[in-house]
C-alpha cells in the first residue's frame, strides 16, 4: 500500500510567504502602479512614466538623493564598526564588565520616539551638551538648526539607538566561534590583533554581512528622527528621500511623485544590497577562481 506523503515544508512556510506577499510585495506593486498616475485639479490621470521623467530634471530630488547617499555612506560603516567594537567588549571577562553590559543595552530598552525626544532636549541651545561645552569655555552649537551640523546630529542619534541592537547579533556570531580555534591560534604564537584579524573577522563574516545588509536597509528608509527633529531642514540638509516622498504625498498632495520616489528608493536599495551580497558573500572569489 502506497503511503501518502504530505509536503510539510510548503505548509510550514505558507504563513510566512503570505505575510511576505501581503506586507512586502503588495505595497511595492501598489507603489509602482500609483507612480504611473498624477492628480490634476482633483482628477486622477494616467501619466505613464512622466513622474519619473520629471524627477530627472528636479533639483529637489537630486539634492535629496545626495543627502540620502551621504547619510548612508557615513552611518552604516560607523554603526557596524561600533557594534563590532561593543560586541568584542561585551564578551570580555574583565572586572566591572557587568556595568558596561548594562549601559550598552540601555538604548534597546528606549523606544525611538522617546530617544528622539530625550536627544532633542539634550541638543537644545540651552541643553545638556551645550552646558558641557560652556563649562569647557566653548561657544554653544546649533546642533539641530545649523545646516552643517543637523545631518551629523541625526547620524549620532540614530547610531546611539541602533548599535546596541546590531551588537546583539554580532555577539551571537562571536559565541558561535569555537574557543578551540582561538586557543590553537594562540599556541601558534598569534597575537591578539592577529587572532582578531585572521580568525575572528573571517569566521564572523556571515553575521557581519547580515548586520550590514539589515543596517543599510533600515537607514535608507529612516524617517522618524528627521520628521521629529528637523523636518528635512535646515535648508534641506536632512531632506532624505523618504522625507521628500512624505512631503510630496502628504504635504503637497502629489502622491504620484511620492510613489515614484519610493520606487526609485527601493530599486536603489535592492542594487546596493545585491552588491553587498556579491562583494561580501564569497561568491565573487568563487567565480574568479
Amino acid at each position: 500500500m502506497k503511503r501518502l506523503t504530505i509536503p510539510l515544508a510548503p505548509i510550514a512556510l505558507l504563513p510566512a510567504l503570505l505575510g511576505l506577499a501581503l506586507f512586502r510585495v503588495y505595497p511595492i506593486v501598489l507603489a509602482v502602479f500609483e507612480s504611473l498616475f498624477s492628480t490634476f485639479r482633483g482628477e486622477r490621470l494616467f501619466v505613464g512614466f512622466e513622474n519619473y521623467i520629471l524627477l530627472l530634471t528636479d533639483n529637489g530630488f537630486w539634492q535629496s538623493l545626495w543627502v540620502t547617499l551621504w547619510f548612508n555612506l557615513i552611518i552604516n560603516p560607523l554603526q557596524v564598526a561600533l557594534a563590532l567594537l561593543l560586541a568584542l567588549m561585551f564578551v570580555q571577562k574583565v572586572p566591572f564588565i557587568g556595568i558596561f553590559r548594562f549601559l550598552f543595552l540601555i538604548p534597546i530598552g528606549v523606544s525611538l520616539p522617546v530617544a528622539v525626544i530625550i536627544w532633542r532636549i539634550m541638543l537644545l541651545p540651552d541643553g545638556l551638551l551645550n552646558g558641557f561645552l560652556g563649562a569647557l569655555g566653548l561657544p554653544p552649537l546649533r546642533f539641530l538648526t545649523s545646516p552643517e551640523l543637523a545631518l551629523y546630529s541625526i547620524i549620532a542619534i540614530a547610531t546611539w539607538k541602533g548599535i546596541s541592537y546590531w551588537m546583539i547579533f554580532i555577539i551571537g556570531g562571536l559565541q558561535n566561534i569555537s574557543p578551540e580555534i582561538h586557543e590553537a591560534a594562540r599556541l601558534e604564537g598569534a597575537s591578539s590583533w592577529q587572532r582578531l584579524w585572521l580568525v575572528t573577522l573571517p569566521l564572523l563574516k556571515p553575521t557581519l554581512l547580515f548586520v550590514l545588509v539589515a543596517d543599510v536597509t533600515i537607514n535608507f528608509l529612516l524617517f522618524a528622527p528627521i520628521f521629529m527633529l528637523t523636518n528635512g531642514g535646515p535648508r534641506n540638509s536632512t531632506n532624505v528621500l523618504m522625507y521628500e516622498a512624505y512631503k510630496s504625498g502628504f504635504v503637497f498632495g502629489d502622491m504620484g511623485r511620492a510613489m515614484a520616489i519610493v520606487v526609485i528608493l527601493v530599486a536603489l536599495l535592492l542594487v546596493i544590497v545585491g552588491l553587498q551580497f556579491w562583494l561580501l558573500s564569497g561568491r565573487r572569489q568563487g567565480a574568479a577562481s
Side-chain angles (χ1 to χ4, degrees):
M1 181 178 177
K2 188 176 180 180
R3 295 181 61 183
L4 179 63
T5 58
I6 300 175
L8 292 179
I11 295 175
L13 289 174
L14 188 58
L17 292 175
L18 287 175
L20 183 68
L22 182 61
F23 297 111
R24 291 291 184 266
V25 178
Y26 173 70
I28 294 174
V29 173
L30 183 62
V32 173
F33 180 74
E34 290 295 330
S35 70
L36 304 178
F37 291 84
S38 186
T39 303
F40 182 70
R41 294 181 179 176
E43 185 178 358
R44 192 162 175 264
L45 302 173
F46 178 79
V47 296
F49 293 100
E50 185 178 325
N51 285 321
Y52 295 95
I53 296 171
L54 290 175
L55 284 178
L56 296 178
T57 58
D58 187 336
N59 290 332
F61 167 76
W62 287 109
Q63 196 270 343
S64 293
L65 178 61
W66 165 249
V67 172
T68 302
L69 293 176
W70 182 245
F71 176 78
N72 280 274
L73 193 64
I74 296 175
I75 193 171
N76 293 311
L78 180 65
Q79 286 192 348
V80 175
L82 290 176
L84 175 62
L85 179 63
L86 290 183
L88 291 171
M89 294 174 63
F90 196 94
V91 297
Q92 300 301 313
K93 296 178 181 178
V94 297
F96 307 110
I97 190 62
I99 298 174
F100 289 104
R101 288 173 178 171
F102 173 73
L103 294 175
F104 293 164
L105 293 174
I106 285 179
I108 296 179
V110 181
S111 68
L112 182 60
V114 173
V116 170
I117 292 172
I118 293 173
W119 276 97
R120 183 187 184 94
I121 295 172
M122 292 173 60
L123 296 177
L124 287 173
D126 55 351
L128 181 64
L129 291 187
N130 274 320
F132 280 122
L133 293 178
L136 296 174
L138 299 174
L141 296 175
R142 297 184 295 119
F143 290 104
L144 297 175
T145 56
S146 165
E148 290 78 24
L149 294 178
L151 186 67
Y152 302 104
S153 299
I154 298 289
I155 289 174
I157 295 169
T159 300
W160 178 84
K161 184 71 181 75
I163 55 173
S164 297
Y165 181 71
W166 303 124
M167 177 189 72
I168 297 296
F169 290 95
I170 298 177
I171 289 173
L174 288 172
Q175 291 177 339
N176 279 333
I177 300 175
S178 173
E180 286 78 11
I181 299 176
H182 281 285
E183 184 62 20
R186 193 182 64 81
L187 293 175
E188 290 291 331
S191 64
S192 299
W193 173 254
Q194 288 173 322
R195 291 200 298 275
L196 171 65
W197 187 254
L198 300 175
V199 177
T200 303
L201 291 182
L203 294 176
L204 204 58
K205 197 172 176 181
T207 304
L208 292 177
L209 175 61
F210 165 76
V211 169
L212 181 61
V213 169
D215 194 31
V216 167
T217 303
I218 288 178
N219 286 323
F220 257 88
L221 304 178
L222 192 71
F223 174 78
I226 295 164
F227 175 73
M228 296 178 68
L229 291 173
T230 62
N231 288 323
R235 279 187 258 166
N236 291 327
S237 60
T238 61
N239 190 38
V240 295
L241 282 176
M242 274 302 291
Y243 193 77
E244 179 69 14
Y246 162 78
K247 283 196 305 183
S248 292
F250 296 100
V251 178
F252 302 116
D254 191 350
M255 196 57 73
R257 181 178 185 270
M259 291 298 105
I261 293 174
V262 170
V263 171
I264 291 174
L265 181 60
V266 172
L268 180 64
L269 189 56
L270 289 176
V271 170
I272 292 174
V273 169
L275 282 174
Q276 289 175 330
F277 270 108
W278 185 69
L279 290 172
L280 300 176
S281 66
R283 294 179 184 177
R284 185 170 62 95
Q285 290 85 345
S289 62

